[in-house]
Amino acid sequence: MPKTIISVDPKKAPWEQETPLHNRWHPDIPPVASVKEGEAFRVECVDWTGGQIKNDDSSDDVKNVDLSQVHYLSGPIEIEGAKAGDLLKVEFLNLGPLDGDEWGFTGTFAKENGGGFLTDHFPKATKACWDIEGIWCTSRHIPGVKFAGLIHPGLIGTAPSHELLEMWNERESALVAEEGTEAEKTLCGCLHTRPLACLPEPKGAMLGLLGHFLDKHQKDEAWDAIASKAARTVPGRENGGNCDIKNLSRGCTVYFPVFVDGAMLSMGDMHMSQGDGEVSFCGAIEMSGFLELKCTVIKGGMKLLPVVGPSPLSVNPIFEIGPLEPRYSEWLVFEGVSVDEQGRQHYLDATIAYKRAVLNCIKYLSQFGYSEEQVYLLLSCCPCEGRISGIVDVPNAVATLAVPLAIFDRDVRPPEDLEHFAQGIKTVSRDVCISEEGGAVPYDPRLG
């Protein structure tokens, strides 16, 4: 049994945990644990919101979630012997939910508080809660579906160096500066414009052993200096981070670049299951959970990673997929091309093409007894497969979304007898939690 080096209690707030958590990237956040190379160890994680979302029948908690706090991560973990320039091999031995906390949630954020991929179509906050029994997932809010989960961390990565952190902040600040100007990326006209990036923000910051913003902000100059530059954990970057890759499950191996001595590995955002793209944004089956890992250091191995960019730090992790995944043999596949809902042509735009594929799937499956909101949530967390199928044939990129037929308790293939089709449709309970539109106020009552 691997030794537990970080344990959590999901009933406690993140800042009440015995081992401090963190929700920002910065090289000066000290390690909370240390492991030897080749040593198997276990890490427990709270859900990515730190317990803000409840297992109930209201989506008000999703509507008013305080996103300045996310993501809560377990770590940093020092890997003894790792040095900047090495490659960290991380083997995933086992993953699962925490005992006594076997449930998860999927949601969509309100338009005025986070939004998401299809906010222009679904502006209200929604939520579905899931029961986890072994490998199986079912939801009282989306009846008639059942599928096996592929448990994985949505977020895992090594700490950035000061140089890499500066690169992140410079390029993301430049992007945010474009918002509302002529330089703003054209895609913003086709998707609801959320903040173009989430820049460093001391409010909500938790910096591990350095402390929490409630105790430190505007009271500790050293803490404020770090928090004002510490990167948010929202996107994936060169260090790995929030890549939301569902294949990082049992048996997989990830090779992370090491930017600082000790590697300083952190992880969190545990998912029971996720669809490719995590399209609803709050969108896998989010849960607390554990990982059992083993790390090996490949000395000088970072030079094996291709450098694509202006800096030798412009690298990305690589990984091997494990042998254990849910098996499905029959799929219904939906296509999308890079023409938006207004009929405007875009040039090889894979995002528009995938948006169209997802919309096509939502509108199709809603003919089989589900509400569109239920299908949207389902596609974000079920084991559906997204692909870029064509990226060279001008002007259209082609994306596909494949949904396994076996997850439904009904046949959702096009029927041969349309005349009797509507008569045979069984409408499921449509009590997916949907909030009232407007009025979202980010607030965590635990912060007072």
Side-chain angles (χ1 to χ4, degrees):
M1 180 75 177
K3 72 173 184 179
T4 300
I5 62 169
I6 299 176
S7 59
V8 300
D9 182 349
K11 296 180 176 61
K12 293 183 178 180
W15 48 91
E16 297 172 340
Q17 301 295 330
E18 181 178 349
T19 301
L21 309 180
H22 69 102
N23 58 15
R24 302 290 193 270
W25 292 117
H26 197 285
D28 293 343
I29 298 176
V32 297
S34 177
V35 296
K36 298 181 184 299
E37 184 178 356
E39 175 185 9
F41 59 95
R42 175 181 168 120
V43 176
E44 296 180 352
C45 306
V46 299
D47 84 85
W48 75 293
T49 72
Q52 294 186 65
I53 310 304
K54 306 304 179 185
N55 188 359
D56 59 22
D57 301 320
S58 169
S59 62
D60 285 349
D61 49 7
V62 175
K63 178 178 180 176
N64 299 313
V65 66
D66 178 5
L67 295 176
S68 73
Q69 299 185 47
V70 300
H71 303 72
Y72 282 106
L73 306 180
S74 294
I77 300 165
E78 179 184 15
I79 313 301
E80 295 181 14
K83 299 291 184 181
D86 291 343
L87 198 62
L88 184 66
K89 177 183 178 181
V90 181
E91 298 175 69
F92 288 55
L93 308 178
N94 196 16
L95 306 92
L98 296 182
D99 288 344
D101 203 43
E102 294 92 350
W103 75 281
F105 64 89
T106 307
T108 60
F109 293 127
K111 180 178 182 179
E112 63 272 25
N113 185 25
F117 190 48
L118 298 180
T119 302
D120 46 349
H121 293 267
F122 302 97
K124 300 179 182 180
T126 65
K127 183 175 76 177
C129 295
W130 296 84
D131 294 319
I132 298 170
E133 293 183 312
I135 64 171
W136 298 103
C137 311
T138 57
S139 174
R140 64 185 181 273
H141 298 125
I142 312 178
V145 296
K146 180 179 181 180
F147 50 85
L150 184 62
I151 303 172
H152 60 279
L155 198 162
I156 182 170
T158 52
S161 63
H162 285 280
E163 182 181 357
L164 182 59
L165 180 64
E166 185 176 352
M167 282 174 49
W168 293 352
N169 287 338
E170 285 184 358
R171 73 191 185 200
E172 292 174 19
S173 295
L175 179 65
V176 169
E178 295 179 0
E179 188 170 346
T181 73
E182 293 183 356
E184 187 174 70
K185 302 297 183 282
T186 56
L187 188 61
C188 297
C190 309
L191 296 172
H192 169 65
T193 304
R194 295 178 277 153
L196 301 188
C198 297
L199 301 181
E201 180 182 11
K203 178 183 178 294
M206 188 169 182
L207 305 180
L209 289 170
L210 298 180
H212 187 239
F213 85 103
L214 275 182
D215 302 319
K216 297 289 187 176
H217 185 37
Q218 297 181 337
K219 302 172 187 175
D220 184 324
E221 290 186 5
W223 188 94
D224 282 333
I226 293 174
S228 65
K229 294 184 178 180
R232 297 296 306 275
T233 59
V234 176
R237 299 184 180 96
E238 287 84 349
N239 68 327
N242 192 34
C243 293
D244 290 313
I245 300 171
K246 68 183 183 183
N247 306 97
L248 303 189
S249 192
R250 285 181 296 169
C252 93
T253 300
V254 187
Y255 299 86
F256 290 102
V258 176
F259 300 104
V260 298
D261 291 353
M264 304 303 169
L265 182 69
S266 298
M267 64 210 70
D269 188 24
M270 294 296 294
H271 296 167
M272 181 65 190
S273 177
Q274 181 199 291
D276 281 337
E278 197 185 22
V279 290
S280 78
F281 188 26
C282 183
I285 296 181
E286 310 285 348
M287 67 175 193
S288 63
F290 73 87
L291 306 91
E292 294 176 356
L293 307 170
K294 183 173 71 172
C295 295
T296 307
V297 177
I298 301 175
K299 301 304 295 182
M302 186 170 152
K303 63 186 177 185
L304 295 171
L305 299 179
V307 175
V308 182
S311 164
L313 303 180
S314 300
V315 297
N316 296 98
I318 57 178
F319 67 95
E320 304 172 44
I321 295 177
L324 301 178
E325 292 189 353
R327 291 197 303 265
Y328 295 100
S329 59
E330 295 182 297
W331 305 76
L332 198 60
V333 184
F334 298 85
E335 294 184 17
V337 298
S338 49
V339 178
D340 66 31
E341 299 94 307
Q342 286 71 45
R344 292 174 299 201
Q345 180 71 60
H346 296 262
Y347 178 69
L348 297 179
D349 193 320
T351 301
I352 295 296
Y354 197 59
K355 182 184 182 186
R356 285 293 305 273
V358 173
L359 284 171
N360 288 342
C361 183
I362 290 172
K363 294 185 179 300
Y364 175 85
L365 289 177
S366 67
Q367 300 175 92
F368 289 81
Y370 299 96
S371 71
E372 291 191 358
E373 288 82 3
Q374 286 175 316
V375 181
Y376 185 22
L377 290 171
L378 179 64
L379 295 181
S380 198
C381 65
C382 78
C384 56
E385 301 280 343
R387 296 285 187 273
I388 297 176
S389 300
I391 201 66
V392 295
D393 295 316
V394 295
N396 276 334
V398 179
T400 55
L401 179 64
V403 181
L405 292 172
I407 71 174
F408 299 100
D409 67 354
R410 66 201 62 199
D411 189 349
V412 297
R413 292 171 293 190
E416 295 182 3
D417 184 359
L418 284 179
E419 183 177 347
H420 297 94
F421 169 57
Q423 300 174 21
I425 289 298
K426 174 185 174 185
T427 301
V428 303
S429 171
R430 299 189 173 208
D431 62 351
V432 62
C433 311
I434 305 177
S435 71
E436 295 295 324
E437 186 173 355
V441 179
Y443 175 65
D444 185 344
R446 300 172 302 174
L447 294 174

